[in-house]
Amino acid sequence: MSESSKVAIVTGAGSGIGKAITERLLMDGWKVFGLDLKASGIPEGAEAIEADVADEGDLRAVIRRLRSRHGRLDALVSNAGLSEFKSLAQCSLDDWNRILTANLTATFLLARECEKLLRESKGAIVATTSTRAHMSEPDTHAYSASKGGLLALTHSLAISLGPDVRVNCISPGWINVSDQEPTSEQHAQHPAGRVGRPEDVASMVAYLLDPEAGFITGAEFILDGGMTRKMIYT
């Protein structure tokens, strides 16, 4: 089947990493359903859909629409998420639940709703986790827990959905999604010599969705310019 006939869902498609992933898949000839809370930033060429990935009803409506329009789904890129850092004393249960729902539960819901279509197409899932699944700064409790849970969910889904569906995750480190250029010192602290770009993650997503990655499932790919391998003493 030609690449141009393949269909992908990308969540968080309106900005940052999700926007870069959407642009890359469009460039590679995919049909892309781009989901975000606001459709305005979703790249031209994608089917822009306003949806809350934490809302079960929204996701079911998206899958109905996709099935009606295309009748297939070849890839799910679960990228949307929230980051909010508060001290342990300041982090309310509502704060905790909001972050875990957006960053972890949403991927579970998407995988469940997409399972049948992905099994039919022998498709793939890629989730965006974070190096904070392995390391932390202060006050990242809910965020780090959600990303660690997403890492575990990745290998759980890989075993449950295999061999029909491959499931992998990418854990970015510092990916610059702002308009402000990092300093030379910030670039230099990375063993790779620079801070990451959204396109770095998009390239890895494109590879993991390609048939050439057909023997890769249940795996985590850390994209951090080598920072998690670097001993730092002050």
Side-chain angles (χ1 to χ4, degrees), residues 204-216:
M204 180 57 76
V205 170
Y207 171 67
L208 290 173
L209 298 183
D210 191 273
E212 288 191 358
F215 195 55
I216 302 173

Side-chain angles (χ1 to χ4, degrees), residues 2 19 30 44 58 60 68 75 158 185 187 193 206 211-212 223-224:
S2 67
K19 187 171 186 176
W30 288 73
E44 184 178 352
D58 274 11
R60 285 179 171 167
S68 174
E185 290 80 8
H187 282 301
E212 288 191 358
L223 272 62
D224 70 342

Side-chain angles (χ1 to χ4, degrees), residues 81-228:
L82 297 176
S83 61
E84 182 180 81
F85 305 147
K86 293 183 176 181
S87 71
L88 190 58
Q90 292 174 326
C91 185
S92 69
L93 182 58
D94 284 343
D95 293 332
W96 174 270
N97 286 334
R98 182 172 63 256
I99 297 298
L100 262 70
T101 298
N103 295 0
L104 176 58
T105 306
T107 298
F108 155 73
L109 291 173
L110 282 160
R112 189 189 67 187
E113 296 304 314
C114 295
E115 177 181 3
K116 188 174 187 297
L117 285 169
L118 288 171
R119 284 190 185 276
E120 289 172 352
S121 67
K122 308 299 183 187
I125 297 173
V126 178
T128 303
T129 55
S130 169
T131 53
R132 290 179 193 268
H134 303 280
M135 55 194 296
S136 291
E137 294 176 300
D139 304 330
T140 64
H141 318 292
Y143 186 80
S144 294
S146 70
K147 295 303 185 177
L150 191 52
L151 176 57
L153 180 61
T154 294
H155 59 70
S156 175
L157 289 172
I159 300 306
S160 297
L161 300 181
D164 294 332
V165 182
R166 296 184 300 105
V167 187
N168 295 291
C169 65
I170 298 171
S171 293
W174 183 352
I175 304 295
N176 185 33
V177 296
S178 73
D179 294 329
Q180 183 174 350
E181 176 65 20
T183 66
S184 57
E185 290 80 8
Q186 290 168 334
H187 282 301
Q189 71 177 321
H190 289 72
R194 65 171 175 84
V195 172
R197 298 185 289 260
E199 292 78 14
D200 295 320
V201 183
S203 294
M204 180 57 76
V205 170
Y207 171 67
L208 290 173
L209 298 183
D210 191 273
E212 288 191 358
F215 195 55
I216 302 173
T217 193
E220 176 195 21
F221 292 83
I222 295 179
L223 272 62
D224 70 342
M227 286 298 291
T228 53

